[in-house]
Amino acid sequence: MLCGSNIATQTQAGSSPTLVWLHGFLGEGNEWRAFASQLPEFSHLLVDLPGHGHSAQLSVDGFSAVEAALQATLAHYGISSYALIGYSLGGRVAMYHAAQHPKGLKALLVEGGNPGLKTQAERVARIENDARWAERFRQQPMLDVLQTWYRQPVFAELSEQERHRLVALRAAQNGEPLATMLESTSLGKQPLLTEPLKALAIPFVYLCGERDAKFQQLAAESDLPVRTITGAGHNAHRANPDEFVAQVRDFFTPLL
C-alpha cells in the first residue's frame, strides 16, 4: 500500500469524487497540498509513489505492482469514487490505471505524461538509458545527480534559480529506492496506452506547457485531448500554478 495524506473538506459535495494526486519522479504527494487547498469543493488524497516520500521503502517490480499498490491504497482510505491527477511519472501511472477500466474512476487529468513508446528499438534504448541513470542515483551524491538530471532537454526552460530550487527540494532523498522505481517504471517497460486512452468512457484531459515542445508533439501525434498552460514548460504546474489550478477546477467542476 502507498502512503498518502487524506484531505477532507467542509464544503465538499457529498457525491463528488475524491481527487487523487500522483506526483512525478523525484516528487512526493505533499507537494500537491497547496494546489489541493485551492479546490475545497473536493476531498483529496495526496499519494507518495513507491521509492518516494513516506513510500520510499516500498519496492515494486513493474506497472502492475504499482497498480496493485494504488488499488490497495484506495481501498484502505475507503475511496470508491475518485478522479486521478498525475504529472509526468504520476501521469503514466494514472494512464495505466485508467486503461484497466477500474470501476470507481470518474475522470482522468494528466500533465506531461508519456503514453508510451511505439517501437521495440525505442523501448530498449529507454530501458538502457534509465538503467544508466539508476546507476548514477545509486552511486553518486544526490546533489551531483540532480544537477545533471535537471539539465536534460525536457527541463530546458528552467532558469538557474528554478533549477537550484528543485535540486535543493529533492536533495535529501535516498538514491537507492529512486533508482529501483526508475528501473521498474521505465518508459521502455510501459505498454503503449494511446489506443486504450482513446477508448476511455470517462472525461479525460491532457495538460501540457506551451513551451514543452516534446510533449506538445506527443499529444498531437497521439491525438490526445490537450489543453495548453501558458508560459510553462514540462513542469507546468510549478511554472504557472494559477492557470494550472484554473484548468483543474474547470475540468472537474462538472463532476460535482
Side-chain angles (χ1 to χ4, degrees), residues 22-31 47-53 87-90 133 137 142-143 145-152 155 158 163 165-179 181-182 185 235 238:
L22 305 177
H23 59 79
F25 183 67
L26 296 171
E28 62 179 5
N30 199 50
E31 293 177 16
V47 173
D48 287 345
L49 291 173
H52 297 76
Y87 164 65
S88 197
L89 170 61
W133 273 111
F137 276 105
M142 183 61 69
L143 277 173
V145 183
L146 292 176
Q147 289 284 0
T148 309
W149 178 267
Y150 285 114
R151 292 187 184 278
Q152 294 182 90
F155 299 114
L158 291 176
R163 186 175 291 109
R165 189 180 299 117
L166 279 171
V167 169
L169 181 66
R170 315 297 197 203
Q173 298 186 73
N174 185 341
E176 176 62 37
L178 292 172
M181 184 61 172
L182 182 60
T185 57
N235 204 331
R238 289 183 67 90

Side-chain angles (χ1 to χ4, degrees), residues 35 46 59 61 67 69 85 97 114 119 123 128 130 138 156-157 165-166 172 193 207 213 231 237-238:
F35 299 96
L46 316 180
S59 180
D61 59 3
E67 163 72 7
I85 301 172
H97 178 78
N114 197 319
T119 70
R123 287 188 283 271
E128 292 174 348
D130 285 341
R138 290 189 174 101
E157 86 286 352
R165 189 180 299 117
L166 279 171
L193 300 171
L207 299 185
H237 66 275
R238 289 183 67 90

Side-chain angles (χ1 to χ4, degrees), residues 227-247:
R227 296 187 188 180
T228 299
I229 295 181
T230 58
H234 184 61
N235 204 331
H237 66 275
R238 289 183 67 90
N240 192 342
D242 291 341
E243 184 170 336
F244 175 78
V245 170
Q247 292 271 19

Side-chain angles (χ1 to χ4, degrees), residues 45-119:
L45 181 66
L46 316 180
V47 173
D48 287 345
L49 291 173
H52 297 76
H54 294 293
S55 299
Q57 301 310 310
L58 177 62
S59 180
V60 294
D61 59 3
F63 280 88
S64 61
V66 180
E67 163 72 7
L70 178 57
Q71 291 280 19
T73 305
L74 295 170
H76 172 79
Y77 284 98
I79 296 173
S80 59
S81 175
Y82 60 100
L84 288 180
I85 301 172
Y87 164 65
S88 197
L89 170 61
R92 297 198 286 119
V93 171
M95 289 185 287
Y96 181 90
H97 178 78
Q100 315 309 311
H101 303 289
K103 183 178 180 181
L105 182 61
K106 306 303 182 185
L108 172 66
L109 183 150
V110 173
E111 176 196 350
N114 197 319
L117 301 174
K118 296 180 181 179
T119 70

Side-chain angles (χ1 to χ4, degrees), residues 3 6-7 48 60 66 73 78 84 88 93 102 107 126-128 134 136 138 144 161 172 182 186-187 194 197 200 224:
C3 293
N6 197 357
I7 306 173
D48 287 345
V60 294
V66 180
T73 305
L84 288 180
S88 197
V93 171
R126 180 57 180 257
I127 290 170
E128 292 174 348
R136 297 181 73 168
R138 290 189 174 101
D144 294 346
Q161 183 180 20
L182 182 60
S186 170
L187 184 61
T194 305
L197 290 172
L200 290 178
L224 300 179

